[in-house]
Amino acid sequence: MRATFHLKTLTVAIAAFSVASAASAAGLDRSGQDVTAFLQDGLYAEAVYTYIDGDVSGHDNAYIGPDKKAYEQGKKIDDIAESYDFFRYGVKADINDTFSVGILYDEPFGAAADYSGDNNFVARGDLDASVNAISGGKASSAADAGLKIGQLTAGATQAGAAAANFAAQAQTATTPQAAAGFAEQAQAAQTQAQTLAGQAQSLGAAVAAARAEAATTGEGTNVEVRTESVTGILGMKLGENKNFQVYGGPVMQQVQADVALRGIAYGPATGYTTHISSDQDYGWLAGVSYSKPEIALLAALTYRSEIDHSLNIDETYPLVAALGGDPVQGNKIDITTPKSVNFDFQTGVNQTTLATAKVRWVPWTDFAIVPPLYNEVSKRSTGDDKGLPLVSYDEDQWLVELGLAKRLSPALAVTGTVGWDSGAGDPVTSLGPIEGYYSAGLGAKYNLTENWAVSAGGKYLWFGDAQGQIPTKTIVSDFDSNDGYALGVKVSYQAK
């Protein structure tokens, strides 16, 4: 005979799983975009507070040279991970036994990193050392760069003159063979002139960037990204026993960001600063769920769409002044926050035990932040019309979390969870050098009354080792043996 686990006896065992489960390290993922508040029975409301702190430290790259993948352990980078906190709210109500409505608030994506100390991500003001590092060892000092720029410019001028001379001789040649020979020499000389001029411009850019770095002495690289999201949901239950439910609704999202690149790690981009103003745009959510209350079974699959934002952006790029442009520009930037798929599952194991599982997928390979001025300048190094993004990722994120809850008394239950986050690639952006994590968590829920409950939980995170890279794919840092923790508290009300 099949066991029946009445949901009422298991209610208290649905403990603090979602309290501290929001600590996704891949890409800019934060809250995990949980929708389980809408899947609760009857009238339900919750308020959740989460605090996350990590120790993310490592070393910069002491290697100076042309090999982008080469790494030599450099100076110590102290903890760059700023602690952060956020709230999540949810309210759900049944209109009748078929239709339900709900509204959810969370802060789905974000970043907070701040470099300090004596390393390549902090402007140090040593002009000659900066010229040497930013030029990749092509000039040992500002004076050496000036001398070489003069030599390269003179060589380019001579090669240009030779190209013009060969071209003139091709025009006056008496035979087709002679004309072709002079034309070939003219082309070779012109190519040499362009190469030498490019090398001179590159050294000039290194000097200009080094001077910009000196102007921001003591400032460190930092980034802060914030988002807020409000989701409205309408659900409809189907089937003879109302076991199936389809649900969906609109999503309103706001995004803002600030980024400052400092230190010789960023080469000519040192001194770059951008502010992306807050903007509000819209997407949608859709899902389907199946429940079997007699065994406390609930399974839900939820899809969230991409959301396209067009935001005002202010950029300051000191190098642009040396290139003859305006180093301070205002423009528009298009950012698309990624779609996602969440799968949530729970089932009763026995009268007092509940098992849960959560799987999340986010395609971070589709995401990029491409500031217009930064991108335009980067085309000089890429030599194409695509340029480079400021932030991008090489892999998609997978998150898996398993849990078990045990009711210890009519009012008290405890939970345990283990989890794995794949991260979004290694190497990864130097603004968030973590390759996912493993986690273990504990939580508890206490029913204050028949309707009110309080939950609390904590999770320990073992961050994956990762090398930091800048948009040119040059390795600039190495981070290993890092960890962190997440703490959360939830107050909930439920009337069935």
Side-chain angles (χ1 to χ4, degrees):
M1 181 176 178
R2 189 171 183 178
T4 298
F5 312 139
H6 293 290
L7 185 59
K8 186 174 182 180
T9 66
L10 277 170
T11 297
V12 74
I14 305 174
F17 286 113
S18 61
V19 173
S21 64
S24 302
L28 302 177
D29 213 16
R30 276 196 172 173
S31 74
Q33 298 180 297
D34 187 83
V35 299
T36 54
F38 179 76
L39 303 175
Q40 303 302 313
D41 289 333
L43 175 64
Y44 181 82
E46 69 176 25
V48 184
Y49 171 77
T50 302
Y51 175 86
I52 299 176
D53 194 10
D55 182 359
V56 181
S57 57
H59 294 83
D60 65 21
N61 192 353
Y63 172 79
I64 296 177
D67 186 354
K68 293 183 177 182
K69 300 300 182 183
Y71 176 78
E72 178 184 336
Q73 187 178 99
K75 293 184 178 180
K76 174 72 173 177
I77 300 173
D78 293 327
D79 182 18
I80 69 168
E82 293 192 299
S83 61
Y84 62 91
D85 57 0
F86 55 88
F87 289 90
R88 189 174 78 243
Y89 306 103
V91 177
K92 176 260 181 182
D94 293 331
I95 299 174
N96 51 42
D97 64 352
T98 298
F99 292 99
S100 302
V101 294
I103 186 166
L104 307 175
Y105 167 88
D106 73 339
E107 300 177 31
F109 307 114
D114 188 14
Y115 286 82
S116 60
D118 179 17
N119 56 70
N120 291 346
F121 296 88
V122 178
R124 289 177 288 176
D126 186 334
L127 183 62
D128 289 341
S130 296
V131 169
N132 182 37
I134 294 173
S135 70
K138 294 176 182 177
S140 60
S141 66
D144 184 38
L147 177 63
K148 290 180 177 177
I149 289 171
Q151 295 171 340
L152 290 167
T153 301
T157 300
Q158 293 174 358
N165 182 49
F166 286 131
Q169 293 183 64
Q171 292 292 327
T172 59
T174 57
T175 66
Q177 293 84 355
F182 285 126
E184 184 177 345
Q185 289 176 298
Q187 181 60 48
Q190 183 62 34
T191 298
Q192 183 183 23
Q194 292 173 345
T195 299
L196 293 173
Q199 292 174 349
Q201 185 181 56
S202 178
L203 278 180
V207 174
R211 296 190 186 283
E213 201 245 5
T216 59
T217 299
E219 295 182 14
T221 296
N222 65 79
V223 57
E224 182 172 8
V225 179
R226 283 276 185 179
T227 64
E228 295 180 279
S229 178
V230 177
T231 304
I233 307 179
L234 173 65
M236 182 175 68
K237 294 180 180 177
L238 307 170
E240 182 178 353
N241 297 316
K242 306 296 185 181
N243 296 110
F244 290 94
Q245 180 177 215
V246 293
Y247 53 90
V251 179
M252 180 189 72
Q253 186 180 86
Q254 287 187 324
V255 177
Q256 65 180 43
D258 290 278
V259 177
L261 307 182
R262 299 292 185 267
I264 60 176
Y266 293 100
T270 183
Y272 174 83
T273 303
T274 184
H275 170 68
I276 300 175
S277 300
S278 179
D279 171 79
Q280 179 176 296
D281 274 291
Y282 301 88
W284 53 274
L285 168 151
V288 59
S289 67
Y290 173 79
S291 64
K292 196 166 185 178
E294 58 268 29
I295 60 171
L297 173 66
L298 175 64
L301 187 67
T302 307
Y303 173 86
R304 286 181 179 266
S305 73
E306 297 178 336
I307 299 181
D308 297 322
H309 294 267
S310 181
L311 309 99
N312 292 321
I313 180 172
D314 296 306
E315 297 177 84
T316 301
Y317 203 154
L319 177 64
V320 175
L323 300 176
D326 184 356
V328 180
Q329 296 185 20
N331 212 317
K332 284 282 189 179
I333 182 174
D334 295 327
I335 296 177
T336 299
T337 56
K339 59 191 174 186
S340 65
V341 177
N342 280 17
F343 176 69
D344 295 281
F345 177 84
Q346 70 173 49
T347 186
V349 177
N350 56 43
Q351 291 281 354
T352 61
T353 308
L354 190 76
T356 68
K358 177 184 179 69
V359 179
R360 176 169 167 81
W361 171 76
V362 185
W364 284 106
T365 51
D366 296 338
F367 174 84
I369 298 178
V370 190
L373 180 59
Y374 182 93
N375 179 254
E376 188 61 33
V377 174
S378 74
K379 293 176 183 177
R380 293 174 177 266
S381 62
T382 61
D384 57 30
D385 60 357
K386 185 177 180 181
L388 297 170
L390 178 62
V391 176
S392 63
Y393 298 96
D394 295 330
E395 295 181 11
D396 296 340
Q397 173 195 11
W398 284 94
L399 170 68
V400 179
E401 187 170 270
L402 305 176
L404 199 64
K406 178 70 174 178
R407 180 169 64 89
L408 301 181
S409 74
L412 177 66
V414 295
T415 67
T417 63
V418 292
W420 167 77
D421 185 302
S422 68
D426 179 25
V428 71
T429 172
S430 58
L431 301 179
I434 294 172
E435 190 193 15
Y437 62 79
Y438 289 95
S439 69
L442 293 173
K445 178 182 179 182
Y446 185 77
N447 282 6
L448 301 171
T449 68
E450 182 180 353
N451 302 117
W452 288 95
V454 61
S455 305
K459 178 187 291 185
Y460 186 79
L461 310 169
W462 293 268
F463 294 134
D465 299 344
Q467 289 187 315
Q469 65 181 7
I470 58 177
T472 60
K473 303 300 183 182
T474 299
I475 301 299
V476 292
S477 59
D478 185 73
F479 290 79
D480 60 18
S481 303
N482 291 311
D483 57 11
Y485 64 89
L487 302 173
V489 62
K490 174 167 67 176
V491 176
S492 59
Y493 174 88
Q494 188 166 28
K496 300 180 181 179

